[in-house]
Amino acid sequence: MVAFGKYLQRKQIEEWRGYYINYKMMKKKVKQYAEQIRGGSQHPRHVLKDFSRMLDTQIEKTVLFMLEQQGLLAGRLATLRETHDDVLAQPDISKIVQLRESYRDVGRDLLQLLVFVELNAIGLRKILKKFDKRFGYRFADYYVKTRANHPYSQLQQVFKHVGVGAVVGAISRNLHELQEHEGSFYSIYDQPVLPLQDPVVEAIKTAVDKLTNSTSFLNFLAQHALIMQDDLQTPSEDTIDERTYHFNSLLLNLGNTFLYMVNTYIIVPTADDYSMSLGAAATVCGVVIGSMAVAQVFSSVYFSAWSNKSYFKPLVFSSIALFIGNLMYALAYDANSISLLLLGRLCCGLGSARAVNRRYISDCVPLRIRMQASAGFVSASALGMACGPALAGLLQIKFKIYKLTFNQSTLPGWVMAVAWLFYLVWLCISFKEPLRDTEEQEEQERSNHNETTSMTDREENSRVVEEGLRKPLLITSGLKVEDEDDCDESEESAEDSRRPANSFADAYRLLTPSVKVQLLIYFMLKYAMEILLSESSVVTSYYFGWTTSSVAIFLACLGLTVLPINILVGSYISNMFEDRQILLTSEIIVFIGILFSFNLFIPYTVPQYVISGLVMFVAAEVLEGVNLSLLSRVMSSRLSKGTYNGGLLSTEAGTLARVVADVTITLGGYLGRNHLLNATLLPSLVICIGSIVATCCTYNSLY
């Protein structure tokens, strides 16, 4: 390990030395702040203000110098353009070669400027991390978000890199004009697919592409998926070999996610009718729907543990369990057995492989496309949630084959059984089990890394640009450098800080109070959403006389709001307001939606039910996205791996909420269908109030 301060000094360009951020000075200031706060001579708020001002000054110095250098490069290009026109008017091979080399020199200087930006970004990340570690704050995310979203943001000047794009375009176009293309007079703008042959242009293009790798919407969806990642992992440290990455396996993984969500919600519109046809009360639909969630509480644990050894075998088991479970669900009608119906749903829940789906994306998808894969996970879940009820609405037919009955109650089971059978065949044919790293492979990687360190300074700078520039500002750099203070820590303590949790109790001890509050919020919103969805067929048939098709349309419309709402929040709302502001506002809107859903003094009407339900559901979706976005950033890095990871904790919290909600519906049925609505909404209201109070108490610790 090399101390970053020394590394920065070694890599600085001598003529630019005064324009790098003064990392050494800022590190000393952080130590002074700690001493002042301990001695009581400085209030923490004054420290935050002074530290922010110091960072603003350092960034301004760096950004203005970068813009100045871009201007100098642009001036050189303008001068070369005049020579370029003269050469084209009177072609001379020697002058063309000389001119091309001059353009390459500008390109190499641009690469040096990008290395300058990268080194300063690393220093900024490290000093922010050191500040948070020293004082226990979450100041880093607050600082970057407030500066990056401001209309006069200097950080945006760096990472939007409009000026860099113009310089790259000029170099690319002029070099292309000077190349011989069989007498062609076309520009790169006329032939955009023509490959850029010059290595300097390719190096710059790669670096710039990585600066703009992901959009805010993809980031938001990926955090919504809560696919935990080690906060120390970077693209340069990504151990996943892209040559072994298998796209069809990723599609099969997302297909499992989609089919499971369809399987979960396809029975909701008809569960009450099915229960009544077997001699049970309509409200037993809560147990029928919730039995799948009960089994999922246990299946999530063993699937998470199983994924430590294999991905293919858990997915095969999941498909078989869901195939058998759906067959049992469909056959329960002709067997006239409510027990067989419940066993079928329990068997389906035992096939819940969502823990494997999350784990596969975090462990087997290269970091370069992991954001898109995580967004695909959320999109597949949302699409399945909408398709399930919609498909149930289409299955309104009835016929018999021999002694088997096919109707609106049994067809969801038959259709899903066939779907899982086809999926199982596709899985066995196309899925490729990822290779597990062995100690010999790791040793080989270490030896390869040692060989890499013998590169020349120019080659290393290019590698730094190509591998490092696409990282978000707050992700730890891929460079093997550490702060001087961090080097003093023992290897044992560093290893302990990254050791995964070995049990639920161990994982629980890693949760901070703010994380516990966010898990409570997640429980609340899942509970409220499950109450709305699971009892919709019973409530609407009692109050409004809705048919199965009407219920299916209503539920499908709710499901279709998921992606548009995530787009709105991820692309716009999250850029306008702080996450904690969106969090608290969404909770209050959920509270209002629940409150207006009660049937109290006036006759219950369709507009009241639909509007209040829609308001509550949409607010809960916004709340879920923001809440999981926060969770993905504040959970301990020890929960990014192992069996008891952050994804499992969130899955268990949401599943328990669904179980409790479905049990509440069944128990509320004993009060009669006329009291079911209010009886189930009351616990939702109480839990929502509790989560709002908890959020207000921890508001300042959120960011």
Side-chain angles (χ1 to χ4, degrees):
M1 296 289 183
V2 180
F4 176 71
K6 295 178 180 177
Y7 181 88
L8 182 60
Q9 284 185 337
R10 181 163 60 88
K11 286 297 179 184
Q12 285 179 355
I13 298 174
E14 186 63 34
E15 304 84 53
W16 296 358
R17 190 170 295 277
Y19 300 100
Y20 290 86
I21 64 169
N22 195 334
Y23 179 79
K24 189 174 182 180
M25 178 272 292
M26 289 193 291
K27 193 175 69 171
K28 288 181 179 179
K29 288 289 289 184
V30 170
K31 290 181 180 179
Q32 291 177 8
Y33 292 146
E35 294 172 358
Q36 291 170 353
I37 290 178
R38 279 197 299 268
S41 59
Q42 273 281 33
H43 191 278
R45 288 188 178 276
H46 294 156
V47 167
L48 290 174
K49 184 177 180 180
D50 189 57
F51 185 61
S52 298
R53 186 186 299 113
M54 180 177 65
L55 285 176
D56 292 340
T57 301
Q58 292 291 319
I59 292 172
E60 181 180 87
K61 173 183 68 175
T62 299
V63 169
L64 291 178
F65 177 74
M66 184 196 72
L67 294 175
E68 178 186 354
Q69 291 301 309
Q70 286 181 3
L72 293 175
L73 293 176
R76 289 168 61 186
L77 287 172
T79 302
L80 289 175
R81 183 70 237 182
E82 296 176 2
T83 306
H84 188 117
D85 293 337
D86 294 338
V87 169
L88 290 182
Q90 296 179 347
D92 186 320
I93 296 298
S94 61
K95 290 183 179 180
I96 289 176
V97 172
Q98 184 179 359
L99 185 58
R100 287 176 62 182
E101 191 58 34
S102 297
Y103 278 121
R104 290 194 185 104
D105 287 340
V106 176
R108 294 185 188 102
D109 289 343
L110 178 59
L111 272 175
Q112 291 286 354
L113 183 60
L114 292 175
V115 172
F116 169 82
V117 175
E118 171 66 3
L119 287 173
N120 283 287
I122 294 170
L124 181 59
R125 283 198 296 271
K126 284 186 169 292
I127 200 65
L128 284 167
K129 180 183 175 183
K130 179 177 286 292
F131 186 85
D132 282 352
K133 183 178 178 180
R134 176 83 66 169
F135 299 104
Y137 296 155
R138 287 285 175 180
F139 173 74
D141 289 271
Y142 168 79
Y143 179 83
V144 173
K145 185 165 186 175
T146 53
R147 267 58 178 178
N149 291 333
H150 196 277
Y152 304 128
S153 167
Q154 290 173 330
L155 286 179
Q156 289 283 23
Q157 292 295 324
V158 176
F159 294 101
K160 291 282 186 180
H161 53 81
V162 177
V164 173
V167 175
V168 173
I171 296 172
S172 303
R173 186 181 68 82
N174 288 300
L175 279 175
H176 179 76
E177 278 188 0
L178 294 173
Q179 289 177 351
E180 292 184 1
H181 291 291
E182 300 178 357
S184 171
F185 293 98
Y186 289 111
S187 163
I188 60 170
Y189 305 116
D190 303 312
Q191 294 178 313
V193 297
L194 192 66
L196 298 173
Q197 301 293 337
D198 197 285
V200 173
V201 176
E202 289 288 357
I204 298 172
K205 183 175 179 293
T206 300
V208 173
D209 285 346
K210 290 181 178 181
L211 274 173
T212 53
N213 181 59
S214 301
T215 65
S216 58
F217 173 51
L218 285 180
N219 274 288
F220 184 79
L221 281 185
Q223 292 168 334
H224 196 160
L226 199 65
I227 293 172
M228 302 296 295
Q229 300 179 23
D230 189 344
D231 63 350
L232 297 178
Q233 188 183 42
T234 64
S236 60
E237 295 172 331
D238 192 9
T239 58
I240 301 170
D241 188 348
E242 294 209 26
R243 291 172 296 179
T244 63
Y245 156 67
H246 196 235
F247 179 70
N248 283 342
S249 299
L250 175 60
L251 284 182
L252 283 162
N253 186 66
L254 297 178
N256 183 280
T257 300
F258 170 75
L259 285 178
Y260 185 79
M261 292 302 291
V262 173
N263 212 141
T264 300
Y265 289 99
I266 193 172
I267 73 157
V268 172
T270 59
D272 57 336
D273 289 338
Y274 205 167
S275 301
M276 292 173 65
S277 67
L278 298 179
T283 52
V284 175
C285 70
V287 174
V288 174
I289 297 170
S291 56
M292 193 170 176
V294 171
Q296 188 180 344
V297 172
F298 303 99
S299 67
S300 296
V301 179
Y302 67 72
F303 269 116
S304 183
W306 202 350
S307 65
N308 291 327
K309 299 180 179 179
S310 174
Y311 297 100
F312 175 68
K313 292 178 181 178
L315 290 177
V316 170
F317 177 82
S318 168
S319 305
I320 294 173
L322 283 154
F323 171 73
I324 295 173
N326 281 291
L327 277 183
M328 294 170 68
Y329 182 86
L331 293 172
Y333 186 88
D334 292 306
N336 195 29
S337 172
I338 190 71
S339 300
L340 185 61
L341 182 73
L342 294 174
L343 284 174
R345 289 296 286 179
L346 282 170
C347 190
C348 288
L350 292 175
S352 171
R354 288 178 69 79
V356 178
N357 301 147
R358 282 190 173 103
R359 186 76 177 273
Y360 182 87
I361 293 174
S362 65
D363 290 355
C364 304
V365 177
L367 199 61
R368 177 179 58 84
I369 60 170
R370 195 172 301 163
M371 192 73 70
Q372 291 90 330
S374 303
F377 176 84
V378 175
S379 301
S381 300
L383 188 60
M385 182 180 178
C387 288
L391 187 58
L394 297 176
L395 300 176
Q396 301 301 302
I397 53 177
K398 183 176 181 180
F399 59 93
K400 293 194 70 171
I401 299 178
Y402 296 107
K403 295 182 179 181
L404 299 178
T405 303
F406 297 84
N407 57 25
Q408 66 174 13
S409 298
T410 62
L411 275 172
W414 290 116
V415 169
M416 293 311 303
V418 172
W420 283 111
L421 183 61
F422 277 106
Y423 174 81
L424 180 60
V425 174
W426 183 27
L427 183 72
C428 294
I429 295 173
S430 300
F431 191 86
K432 184 178 179 181
E433 181 75 79
L435 295 175
R436 302 280 175 169
D437 291 335
T438 62
E439 292 182 2
E440 290 78 15
Q441 288 172 324
E442 292 174 355
E443 182 64 32
Q444 181 64 34
E445 289 174 3
R446 283 195 291 271
S447 65
N448 290 340
H449 175 72
N450 291 335
E451 293 175 5
T452 304
T453 57
S454 63
M455 298 166 60
T456 63
D457 283 348
R458 184 173 297 278
E459 290 171 335
E460 184 175 3
N461 285 344
S462 298
R463 178 180 60 81
V464 169
V465 173
E466 293 182 9
E467 294 182 351
L469 282 179
R470 75 162 175 164
K471 297 191 294 293
L473 185 60
L474 293 178
I475 296 180
T476 307
S477 170
L479 296 171
K480 292 293 185 179
V481 292
E482 289 291 334
D483 297 325
E484 288 86 340
D485 292 348
D486 294 338
C487 292
D488 296 335
E489 297 178 0
S490 67
E491 292 182 3
E492 182 179 355
S493 62
E495 182 66 25
D496 289 342
S497 68
R498 301 186 68 178
R499 179 173 54 83
N502 296 320
S503 65
F504 276 118
D506 194 10
Y508 184 81
R509 285 193 290 270
L510 294 174
L511 302 181
T512 62
S514 61
V515 173
K516 292 176 183 176
V517 169
Q518 287 170 272
L519 287 175
L520 171 63
I521 295 171
Y522 191 60
F523 180 92
M524 178 275 292
L525 68 90
K526 284 296 183 183
Y527 180 92
M529 291 170 69
E530 187 71 10
I531 288 290
L532 173 66
L533 299 175
S534 295
E535 71 175 12
S536 58
S537 58
V538 180
V539 170
T540 55
S541 62
Y542 176 77
Y543 286 104
F544 318 126
W546 280 11
T547 62
T548 299
S549 298
S550 301
V551 178
I553 292 172
F554 172 67
L555 295 178
C557 289
L558 288 180
L560 289 172
T561 64
V562 174
L563 280 181
I565 291 302
N566 280 320
I567 292 174
L568 179 65
V569 176
S571 300
Y572 300 103
I573 296 179
S574 62
N575 294 326
M576 297 167 61
F577 303 98
E578 294 181 23
D579 284 349
R580 60 181 180 177
Q581 294 173 328
I582 304 173
L583 191 79
L584 184 57
T585 303
S586 300
E587 285 183 90
I588 295 172
I589 296 176
V590 169
F591 170 79
I592 293 172
I594 295 172
L595 191 63
F596 279 92
S597 296
F598 278 88
N599 177 25
L600 296 175
F601 308 111
I602 58 176
Y604 208 52
T605 61
V606 172
Q608 180 184 352
Y609 177 78
V610 171
I611 294 174
S612 59
L614 185 63
V615 168
M616 188 273 289
F617 187 85
V618 168
E621 276 299 322
V622 174
L623 181 60
E624 181 177 6
V626 176
N627 190 53
L628 291 183
S629 174
L630 283 169
L631 272 174
S632 69
R633 285 179 277 169
V634 301
M635 273 192 174
S636 168
S637 61
R638 289 178 59 186
L639 295 174
S640 65
K641 63 186 80 173
T643 300
Y644 302 93
N645 53 63
L648 176 64
L649 293 182
S650 67
T651 299
E652 293 291 85
T655 304
L656 283 173
R658 291 172 52 206
V659 171
V660 175
D662 291 323
V663 170
T664 303
I665 293 172
T666 302
L667 294 177
Y670 287 103
L671 300 176
R673 295 177 71 180
N674 57 324
H675 296 297
L676 175 66
L677 181 66
N678 291 343
T680 53
L681 287 175
L682 186 59
S684 299
L685 192 68
V686 173
I687 298 173
C688 186
I689 293 173
S691 71
I692 292 174
V693 172
T695 301
C696 292
C697 293
T698 59
Y699 186 79
N700 289 330
S701 65
L702 300 173
Y703 58 92

